[in-house]
Amino acid sequence: MKMISLLGSTGSIGVNALDVVRRNPDRFAVAAMTAGSNVELFAQQVKEFKPSLISVFNSSKLEELKELLKGEDVEILTGEEGTVNVATHSDISLVVSAIVGSAGLAPSMAAIKSGKDLAIANKETLVVAGELVLREAKRKVNIIPIDSEHSAILQALNGEKEERIKKIILTGSGGPFRTFTKEKMENVTVKEALNHPNWSMGAKITIDSATMMNKGLEWIEAKWLFGLDTCIEIIVHPQSIIHSMIEFVDTSIMAQLGMPDMRVPIAYALTYPDRIECDFPSLDLAEMKQLTFEEPDYEKFPCIKLAQEALETGQTMPAVLNAANEVAVQAFLDEAIPFKDIAETIRTTMHNHKCHAIDSLEDVQIADQWAREEAKKRITVAH
Ligand code: NDP
Ligand code: MG
């Protein structure tokens, strides 16, 4: 029985992870879990999965949660300290990190420091502090990606040596605006941006897919997971069936295919390097008929290059890119800025940033905070 701690149980990945656990009660148990604010769903999950320790990040929701869980045998904490306690619970061996944004960094680092393996959906953690996270992990724990592209790369790599990789071919759907002209994209609404063609996900990553920042963040994520020197090519594949590929030095390409269903990479991360039988819907290639590919349009989707530049600059720049993106995406969701200003906000914030080296979690947090304030200033000035 694998004892798991689930950070972000009420989100899209969290709910899918719980479904994998629900289908395999003899293999997995959730000993501890966290949520942000959604205490109604959280309380239902706690009653079903019976963890011994839980935490709600938003402390103003603590009393409501306690009321909902009256009579349940569970310890209830709150705040970042509560999330960290859940991530380091002594009964567990694996932490599933499914919090959104750089808020996932501190608990992920705490989990690694206390020797827990980390199944990571929260790509922002690797974007903002990839070097720190990997340095810490190298000593003692495994980091297993949940992101479907990175899970695909891990599966395609299966036993091969990383130095045999010629390039990683990172696929992306192109999002809801793939076929829009640049002019048409200027006036897209929040509703249109939230309408992803293939995946049902949380709001932040859905907007990241619409700007294609998601592919930029994943490019950085792949660099940290599979080697900074590895060549990574991005290719648009609108059907989201090939989740990514590796071309090896002999030009042979290994791809991983499947339905767009996050439970598949979640189950793989929970059982890696093993697999378990799952009765999820199978891929019907004859029904699919065709798989197509095209070059990404870097002009229409400037966020990809911004992410690549941030990693090339290094130091605090990826943390600044990420924080400015989080602020800009939220402002777009709040209808405070138009879609095209997401990239502009990030670009200006990066431009105004004076980079410094990262030696600790605190260095990342300072850059993150600076970028949030800077991005907010720009948003207020421009609107
Ligand atoms: P959601 O917005 O659906 O869920 C986010 C989760 O984090 C919720 O449980 C939320 O709690 C919690 N949360 C939010 N803010 C905080 C905070 N400050 N402290 C603690 N907990 C917090 O996001 P997704 O599930 O879509 O994405 C999660 C991560 O996984 C992201 O990094 C995303 O990029 C990545 N990912 C997601 C995929 C998907 O299919 N959804 C695919 C690949 C990667 P509450 O709702 O209770 O407030
Ligand atoms: Mg992905």
PDB file of all heavy atoms in Angstrom, residues 44-73:
ATOM      1  N   GLN A  44     -16.165  16.777   1.424  1.00  0.00           N
ATOM      2  CA  GLN A  44     -16.668  15.521   0.815  1.00  0.00           C
ATOM      3  C   GLN A  44     -15.521  14.550   0.567  1.00  0.00           C
ATOM      4  O   GLN A  44     -15.635  13.353   0.814  1.00  0.00           O
ATOM      5  CB  GLN A  44     -17.256  15.820  -0.567  1.00  0.00           C
ATOM      6  CG  GLN A  44     -18.680  16.300  -0.589  1.00  0.00           C
ATOM      7  CD  GLN A  44     -19.060  16.675  -2.036  1.00  0.00           C
ATOM      8  OE1 GLN A  44     -18.575  16.097  -3.013  1.00  0.00           O
ATOM      9  NE2 GLN A  44     -19.913  17.667  -2.160  1.00  0.00           N
ATOM     10  N   GLN A  45     -14.400  15.088   0.054  1.00  0.00           N
ATOM     11  CA  GLN A  45     -13.231  14.239  -0.244  1.00  0.00           C
ATOM     12  C   GLN A  45     -12.673  13.625   1.040  1.00  0.00           C
ATOM     13  O   GLN A  45     -12.300  12.443   1.054  1.00  0.00           O
ATOM     14  CB  GLN A  45     -12.147  15.075  -0.940  1.00  0.00           C
ATOM     15  CG  GLN A  45     -12.539  15.568  -2.324  1.00  0.00           C
ATOM     16  CD  GLN A  45     -11.482  16.508  -2.930  1.00  0.00           C
ATOM     17  OE1 GLN A  45     -10.745  17.192  -2.212  1.00  0.00           O
ATOM     18  NE2 GLN A  45     -11.419  16.556  -4.255  1.00  0.00           N
ATOM     19  N   VAL A  46     -12.627  14.426   2.099  1.00  0.00           N
ATOM     20  CA  VAL A  46     -12.094  13.936   3.374  1.00  0.00           C
ATOM     21  C   VAL A  46     -12.977  12.804   3.904  1.00  0.00           C
ATOM     22  O   VAL A  46     -12.474  11.776   4.375  1.00  0.00           O
ATOM     23  CB  VAL A  46     -11.988  15.098   4.395  1.00  0.00           C
ATOM     24  CG1 VAL A  46     -11.642  14.570   5.785  1.00  0.00           C
ATOM     25  CG2 VAL A  46     -10.947  16.116   3.925  1.00  0.00           C
ATOM     26  N   LYS A  47     -14.286  12.965   3.772  1.00  0.00           N
ATOM     27  CA  LYS A  47     -15.210  11.914   4.256  1.00  0.00           C
ATOM     28  C   LYS A  47     -15.040  10.625   3.456  1.00  0.00           C
ATOM     29  O   LYS A  47     -15.165   9.537   3.978  1.00  0.00           O
ATOM     30  CB  LYS A  47     -16.664  12.404   4.180  1.00  0.00           C
ATOM     31  CG  LYS A  47     -16.980  13.407   5.283  1.00  0.00           C
ATOM     32  CD  LYS A  47     -18.403  13.915   5.166  1.00  0.00           C
ATOM     33  CE  LYS A  47     -18.640  15.021   6.192  1.00  0.00           C
ATOM     34  NZ  LYS A  47     -19.841  15.800   5.910  1.00  0.00           N
ATOM     35  N   GLU A  48     -14.742  10.766   2.159  1.00  0.00           N
ATOM     36  CA  GLU A  48     -14.567   9.561   1.334  1.00  0.00           C
ATOM     37  C   GLU A  48     -13.199   8.897   1.546  1.00  0.00           C
ATOM     38  O   GLU A  48     -13.124   7.681   1.671  1.00  0.00           O
ATOM     39  CB  GLU A  48     -14.740   9.906  -0.158  1.00  0.00           C
ATOM     40  CG  GLU A  48     -14.567   8.669  -1.042  1.00  0.00           C
ATOM     41  CD  GLU A  48     -14.705   8.938  -2.532  1.00  0.00           C
ATOM     42  OE1 GLU A  48     -15.087  10.061  -2.940  1.00  0.00           O
ATOM     43  OE2 GLU A  48     -14.415   7.990  -3.300  1.00  0.00           O
ATOM     44  N   PHE A  49     -12.129   9.698   1.586  1.00  0.00           N
ATOM     45  CA  PHE A  49     -10.779   9.105   1.569  1.00  0.00           C
ATOM     46  C   PHE A  49     -10.146   8.965   2.957  1.00  0.00           C
ATOM     47  O   PHE A  49      -9.104   8.336   3.096  1.00  0.00           O
ATOM     48  CB  PHE A  49      -9.868   9.874   0.606  1.00  0.00           C
ATOM     49  CG  PHE A  49     -10.278   9.700  -0.832  1.00  0.00           C
ATOM     50  CD1 PHE A  49     -11.157  10.593  -1.441  1.00  0.00           C
ATOM     51  CD2 PHE A  49      -9.851   8.606  -1.566  1.00  0.00           C
ATOM     52  CE1 PHE A  49     -11.573  10.416  -2.756  1.00  0.00           C
ATOM     53  CE2 PHE A  49     -10.245   8.415  -2.880  1.00  0.00           C
ATOM     54  CZ  PHE A  49     -11.114   9.322  -3.476  1.00  0.00           C
ATOM     55  N   LYS A  50     -10.762   9.564   3.965  1.00  0.00           N
ATOM     56  CA  LYS A  50     -10.347   9.399   5.372  1.00  0.00           C
ATOM     57  C   LYS A  50      -8.859   9.649   5.647  1.00  0.00           C
ATOM     58  O   LYS A  50      -8.191   8.795   6.261  1.00  0.00           O
ATOM     59  CB  LYS A  50     -10.713   7.978   5.863  1.00  0.00           C
ATOM     60  CG  LYS A  50     -12.153   7.585   5.616  1.00  0.00           C
ATOM     61  CD  LYS A  50     -12.976   7.831   6.852  1.00  0.00           C
ATOM     62  CE  LYS A  50     -14.450   7.521   6.644  1.00  0.00           C
ATOM     63  NZ  LYS A  50     -15.344   8.575   7.068  1.00  0.00           N
ATOM     64  N   PRO A  51      -8.309  10.781   5.214  1.00  0.00           N
ATOM     65  CA  PRO A  51      -6.918  11.074   5.593  1.00  0.00           C
ATOM     66  C   PRO A  51      -6.856  11.401   7.088  1.00  0.00           C
ATOM     67  O   PRO A  51      -7.878  11.782   7.682  1.00  0.00           O
ATOM     68  CB  PRO A  51      -6.593  12.316   4.758  1.00  0.00           C
ATOM     69  CG  PRO A  51      -7.914  12.991   4.560  1.00  0.00           C
ATOM     70  CD  PRO A  51      -8.934  11.887   4.477  1.00  0.00           C
ATOM     71  N   SER A  52      -5.660  11.262   7.695  1.00  0.00           N
ATOM     72  CA  SER A  52      -5.566  11.585   9.128  1.00  0.00           C
ATOM     73  C   SER A  52      -5.172  13.042   9.352  1.00  0.00           C
ATOM     74  O   SER A  52      -5.362  13.575  10.428  1.00  0.00           O
ATOM     75  CB  SER A  52      -4.569  10.647   9.810  1.00  0.00           C
ATOM     76  OG  SER A  52      -3.308  10.774   9.188  1.00  0.00           O
ATOM     77  N   LEU A  53      -4.603  13.676   8.311  1.00  0.00           N
ATOM     78  CA  LEU A  53      -4.180  15.075   8.440  1.00  0.00           C
ATOM     79  C   LEU A  53      -4.599  15.850   7.201  1.00  0.00           C
ATOM     80  O   LEU A  53      -4.370  15.395   6.076  1.00  0.00           O
ATOM     81  CB  LEU A  53      -2.649  15.133   8.581  1.00  0.00           C
ATOM     82  CG  LEU A  53      -2.019  16.523   8.634  1.00  0.00           C
ATOM     83  CD1 LEU A  53      -2.381  17.241   9.928  1.00  0.00           C
ATOM     84  CD2 LEU A  53      -0.502  16.449   8.489  1.00  0.00           C
ATOM     85  N   ILE A  54      -5.194  17.035   7.399  1.00  0.00           N
ATOM     86  CA  ILE A  54      -5.561  17.875   6.252  1.00  0.00           C
ATOM     87  C   ILE A  54      -5.244  19.336   6.555  1.00  0.00           C
ATOM     88  O   ILE A  54      -5.070  19.710   7.714  1.00  0.00           O
ATOM     89  CB  ILE A  54      -7.075  17.755   5.883  1.00  0.00           C
ATOM     90  CG1 ILE A  54      -7.945  18.246   7.047  1.00  0.00           C
ATOM     91  CG2 ILE A  54      -7.420  16.347   5.475  1.00  0.00           C
ATOM     92  CD1 ILE A  54      -9.405  18.435   6.647  1.00  0.00           C
ATOM     93  N   SER A  55      -5.189  20.136   5.497  1.00  0.00           N
ATOM     94  CA  SER A  55      -4.980  21.564   5.705  1.00  0.00           C
ATOM     95  C   SER A  55      -5.697  22.363   4.630  1.00  0.00           C
ATOM     96  O   SER A  55      -5.680  21.995   3.459  1.00  0.00           O
ATOM     97  CB  SER A  55      -3.486  21.877   5.681  1.00  0.00           C
ATOM     98  OG  SER A  55      -3.297  23.257   5.946  1.00  0.00           O
ATOM     99  N   VAL A  56      -6.329  23.462   5.060  1.00  0.00           N
ATOM    100  CA  VAL A  56      -6.940  24.384   4.102  1.00  0.00           C
ATOM    101  C   VAL A  56      -6.090  25.652   4.113  1.00  0.00           C
ATOM    102  O   VAL A  56      -5.809  26.216   5.172  1.00  0.00           O
ATOM    103  CB  VAL A  56      -8.429  24.649   4.440  1.00  0.00           C
ATOM    104  CG1 VAL A  56      -8.613  25.226   5.850  1.00  0.00           C
ATOM    105  CG2 VAL A  56      -9.058  25.576   3.410  1.00  0.00           C
ATOM    106  N   PHE A  57      -5.640  26.058   2.915  1.00  0.00           N
ATOM    107  CA  PHE A  57      -4.693  27.180   2.842  1.00  0.00           C
ATOM    108  C   PHE A  57      -5.324  28.484   3.338  1.00  0.00           C
ATOM    109  O   PHE A  57      -4.731  29.216   4.112  1.00  0.00           O
ATOM    110  CB  PHE A  57      -4.195  27.334   1.402  1.00  0.00           C
ATOM    111  CG  PHE A  57      -3.247  28.488   1.247  1.00  0.00           C
ATOM    112  CD1 PHE A  57      -1.953  28.402   1.735  1.00  0.00           C
ATOM    113  CD2 PHE A  57      -3.657  29.657   0.626  1.00  0.00           C
ATOM    114  CE1 PHE A  57      -1.073  29.473   1.614  1.00  0.00           C
ATOM    115  CE2 PHE A  57      -2.785  30.732   0.495  1.00  0.00           C
ATOM    116  CZ  PHE A  57      -1.490  30.637   0.994  1.00  0.00           C
ATOM    117  N   ASN A  58      -6.546  28.746   2.898  1.00  0.00           N
ATOM    118  CA  ASN A  58      -7.231  29.990   3.242  1.00  0.00           C
ATOM    119  C   ASN A  58      -7.771  29.910   4.674  1.00  0.00           C
ATOM    120  O   ASN A  58      -8.757  29.220   4.944  1.00  0.00           O
ATOM    121  CB  ASN A  58      -8.365  30.201   2.235  1.00  0.00           C
ATOM    122  CG  ASN A  58      -9.096  31.499   2.449  1.00  0.00           C
ATOM    123  OD1 ASN A  58      -8.977  32.135   3.490  1.00  0.00           O
ATOM    124  ND2 ASN A  58      -9.870  31.890   1.444  1.00  0.00           N
ATOM    125  N   SER A  59      -7.115  30.635   5.583  1.00  0.00           N
ATOM    126  CA  SER A  59      -7.458  30.479   7.007  1.00  0.00           C
ATOM    127  C   SER A  59      -8.862  30.988   7.328  1.00  0.00           C
ATOM    128  O   SER A  59      -9.458  30.573   8.319  1.00  0.00           O
ATOM    129  CB  SER A  59      -6.420  31.163   7.893  1.00  0.00           C
ATOM    130  OG  SER A  59      -6.277  32.495   7.469  1.00  0.00           O
ATOM    131  N   SER A  60      -9.417  31.859   6.467  1.00  0.00           N
ATOM    132  CA  SER A  60     -10.770  32.335   6.747  1.00  0.00           C
ATOM    133  C   SER A  60     -11.802  31.217   6.527  1.00  0.00           C
ATOM    134  O   SER A  60     -12.973  31.356   6.857  1.00  0.00           O
ATOM    135  CB  SER A  60     -11.099  33.551   5.876  1.00  0.00           C
ATOM    136  OG  SER A  60     -11.263  33.150   4.540  1.00  0.00           O
ATOM    137  N   LYS A  61     -11.369  30.093   5.934  1.00  0.00           N
ATOM    138  CA  LYS A  61     -12.282  28.966   5.678  1.00  0.00           C
ATOM    139  C   LYS A  61     -12.162  27.856   6.734  1.00  0.00           C
ATOM    140  O   LYS A  61     -12.853  26.836   6.657  1.00  0.00           O
ATOM    141  CB  LYS A  61     -11.968  28.356   4.294  1.00  0.00           C
ATOM    142  CG  LYS A  61     -12.263  29.281   3.140  1.00  0.00           C
ATOM    143  CD  LYS A  61     -13.749  29.302   2.888  1.00  0.00           C
ATOM    144  CE  LYS A  61     -14.075  30.125   1.654  1.00  0.00           C
ATOM    145  NZ  LYS A  61     -15.466  30.000   1.274  1.00  0.00           N
ATOM    146  N   LEU A  62     -11.248  28.059   7.689  1.00  0.00           N
ATOM    147  CA  LEU A  62     -10.954  27.002   8.658  1.00  0.00           C
ATOM    148  C   LEU A  62     -12.174  26.607   9.496  1.00  0.00           C
ATOM    149  O   LEU A  62     -12.486  25.415   9.628  1.00  0.00           O
ATOM    150  CB  LEU A  62      -9.785  27.443   9.558  1.00  0.00           C
ATOM    151  CG  LEU A  62      -9.320  26.446  10.605  1.00  0.00           C
ATOM    152  CD1 LEU A  62      -8.803  25.168   9.954  1.00  0.00           C
ATOM    153  CD2 LEU A  62      -8.224  27.058  11.484  1.00  0.00           C
ATOM    154  N   GLU A  63     -12.862  27.604  10.044  1.00  0.00           N
ATOM    155  CA  GLU A  63     -14.004  27.299  10.925  1.00  0.00           C
ATOM    156  C   GLU A  63     -15.114  26.574  10.159  1.00  0.00           C
ATOM    157  O   GLU A  63     -15.704  25.619  10.649  1.00  0.00           O
ATOM    158  CB  GLU A  63     -14.553  28.579  11.571  1.00  0.00           C
ATOM    159  CG  GLU A  63     -13.648  29.157  12.650  1.00  0.00           C
ATOM    160  CD  GLU A  63     -13.121  28.102  13.630  1.00  0.00           C
ATOM    161  OE1 GLU A  63     -13.925  27.302  14.155  1.00  0.00           O
ATOM    162  OE2 GLU A  63     -11.881  28.061  13.847  1.00  0.00           O
ATOM    163  N   GLU A  64     -15.353  27.045   8.919  1.00  0.00           N
ATOM    164  CA  GLU A  64     -16.377  26.409   8.073  1.00  0.00           C
ATOM    165  C   GLU A  64     -16.023  24.941   7.813  1.00  0.00           C
ATOM    166  O   GLU A  64     -16.883  24.053   7.882  1.00  0.00           O
ATOM    167  CB  GLU A  64     -16.458  27.192   6.758  1.00  0.00           C
ATOM    168  CG  GLU A  64     -17.694  26.920   5.930  1.00  0.00           C
ATOM    169  CD  GLU A  64     -17.661  27.711   4.617  1.00  0.00           C
ATOM    170  OE1 GLU A  64     -16.972  28.757   4.529  1.00  0.00           O
ATOM    171  OE2 GLU A  64     -18.320  27.255   3.667  1.00  0.00           O
ATOM    172  N   LEU A  65     -14.748  24.702   7.553  1.00  0.00           N
ATOM    173  CA  LEU A  65     -14.300  23.329   7.292  1.00  0.00           C
ATOM    174  C   LEU A  65     -14.472  22.464   8.536  1.00  0.00           C
ATOM    175  O   LEU A  65     -14.964  21.324   8.457  1.00  0.00           O
ATOM    176  CB  LEU A  65     -12.825  23.343   6.834  1.00  0.00           C
ATOM    177  CG  LEU A  65     -12.226  21.975   6.521  1.00  0.00           C
ATOM    178  CD1 LEU A  65     -12.904  21.320   5.321  1.00  0.00           C
ATOM    179  CD2 LEU A  65     -10.719  22.082   6.244  1.00  0.00           C
ATOM    180  N   LYS A  66     -14.083  23.012   9.676  1.00  0.00           N
ATOM    181  CA  LYS A  66     -14.219  22.256  10.941  1.00  0.00           C
ATOM    182  C   LYS A  66     -15.684  21.887  11.179  1.00  0.00           C
ATOM    183  O   LYS A  66     -15.989  20.771  11.601  1.00  0.00           O
ATOM    184  CB  LYS A  66     -13.697  23.094  12.117  1.00  0.00           C
ATOM    185  CG  LYS A  66     -12.172  23.094  12.201  1.00  0.00           C
ATOM    186  CD  LYS A  66     -11.695  23.832  13.441  1.00  0.00           C
ATOM    187  CE  LYS A  66     -10.184  23.739  13.579  1.00  0.00           C
ATOM    188  NZ  LYS A  66      -9.645  24.713  14.530  1.00  0.00           N
ATOM    189  N   GLU A  67     -16.561  22.817  10.882  1.00  0.00           N
ATOM    190  CA  GLU A  67     -18.003  22.587  11.064  1.00  0.00           C
ATOM    191  C   GLU A  67     -18.474  21.458  10.133  1.00  0.00           C
ATOM    192  O   GLU A  67     -19.205  20.551  10.538  1.00  0.00           O
ATOM    193  CB  GLU A  67     -18.732  23.909  10.732  1.00  0.00           C
ATOM    194  CG  GLU A  67     -20.182  23.990  11.139  1.00  0.00           C
ATOM    195  CD  GLU A  67     -20.419  23.737  12.621  1.00  0.00           C
ATOM    196  OE1 GLU A  67     -19.587  24.182  13.446  1.00  0.00           O
ATOM    197  OE2 GLU A  67     -21.427  23.063  12.938  1.00  0.00           O
ATOM    198  N   LEU A  68     -18.008  21.513   8.879  1.00  0.00           N
ATOM    199  CA  LEU A  68     -18.408  20.489   7.890  1.00  0.00           C
ATOM    200  C   LEU A  68     -17.889  19.099   8.272  1.00  0.00           C
ATOM    201  O   LEU A  68     -18.453  18.086   7.859  1.00  0.00           O
ATOM    202  CB  LEU A  68     -17.879  20.865   6.493  1.00  0.00           C
ATOM    203  CG  LEU A  68     -18.567  22.033   5.781  1.00  0.00           C
ATOM    204  CD1 LEU A  68     -17.726  22.529   4.608  1.00  0.00           C
ATOM    205  CD2 LEU A  68     -19.956  21.607   5.282  1.00  0.00           C
ATOM    206  N   LEU A  69     -16.786  19.073   9.033  1.00  0.00           N
ATOM    207  CA  LEU A  69     -16.150  17.789   9.346  1.00  0.00           C
ATOM    208  C   LEU A  69     -16.348  17.386  10.818  1.00  0.00           C
ATOM    209  O   LEU A  69     -15.604  16.539  11.331  1.00  0.00           O
ATOM    210  CB  LEU A  69     -14.659  17.843   8.992  1.00  0.00           C
ATOM    211  CG  LEU A  69     -14.372  17.891   7.490  1.00  0.00           C
ATOM    212  CD1 LEU A  69     -12.895  18.132   7.213  1.00  0.00           C
ATOM    213  CD2 LEU A  69     -14.813  16.604   6.799  1.00  0.00           C
ATOM    214  N   LYS A  70     -17.326  17.971  11.446  1.00  0.00           N
ATOM    215  CA  LYS A  70     -17.630  17.649  12.850  1.00  0.00           C
ATOM    216  C   LYS A  70     -17.816  16.141  12.993  1.00  0.00           C
ATOM    217  O   LYS A  70     -18.522  15.517  12.211  1.00  0.00           O
ATOM    218  CB  LYS A  70     -18.913  18.366  13.267  1.00  0.00           C
ATOM    219  CG  LYS A  70     -18.789  19.077  14.580  1.00  0.00           C
ATOM    220  CD  LYS A  70     -20.055  19.795  14.907  1.00  0.00           C
ATOM    221  CE  LYS A  70     -19.772  20.931  15.862  1.00  0.00           C
ATOM    222  NZ  LYS A  70     -20.906  21.815  15.925  1.00  0.00           N
ATOM    223  N   GLY A  71     -17.132  15.541  13.973  1.00  0.00           N
ATOM    224  CA  GLY A  71     -17.302  14.106  14.202  1.00  0.00           C
ATOM    225  C   GLY A  71     -16.313  13.243  13.422  1.00  0.00           C
ATOM    226  O   GLY A  71     -16.171  12.061  13.698  1.00  0.00           O
ATOM    227  N   GLU A  72     -15.614  13.831  12.434  1.00  0.00           N
ATOM    228  CA  GLU A  72     -14.611  13.055  11.664  1.00  0.00           C
ATOM    229  C   GLU A  72     -13.304  13.012  12.457  1.00  0.00           C
ATOM    230  O   GLU A  72     -12.918  14.002  13.103  1.00  0.00           O
ATOM    231  CB  GLU A  72     -14.334  13.722  10.305  1.00  0.00           C
ATOM    232  CG  GLU A  72     -15.463  13.659   9.313  1.00  0.00           C
ATOM    233  CD  GLU A  72     -15.727  12.269   8.768  1.00  0.00           C
ATOM    234  OE1 GLU A  72     -14.767  11.531   8.492  1.00  0.00           O
ATOM    235  OE2 GLU A  72     -16.917  11.918   8.633  1.00  0.00           O
ATOM    236  N   ASP A  73     -12.599  11.884  12.355  1.00  0.00           N
ATOM    237  CA  ASP A  73     -11.337  11.737  13.079  1.00  0.00           C
ATOM    238  C   ASP A  73     -10.187  12.235  12.198  1.00  0.00           C
ATOM    239  O   ASP A  73      -9.522  11.453  11.522  1.00  0.00           O
ATOM    240  CB  ASP A  73     -11.157  10.247  13.421  1.00  0.00           C
ATOM    241  CG  ASP A  73      -9.907  10.019  14.246  1.00  0.00           C
ATOM    242  OD1 ASP A  73      -9.377  11.013  14.793  1.00  0.00           O
ATOM    243  OD2 ASP A  73      -9.458   8.863  14.319  1.00  0.00           O
TER     244      ASP A  73
END
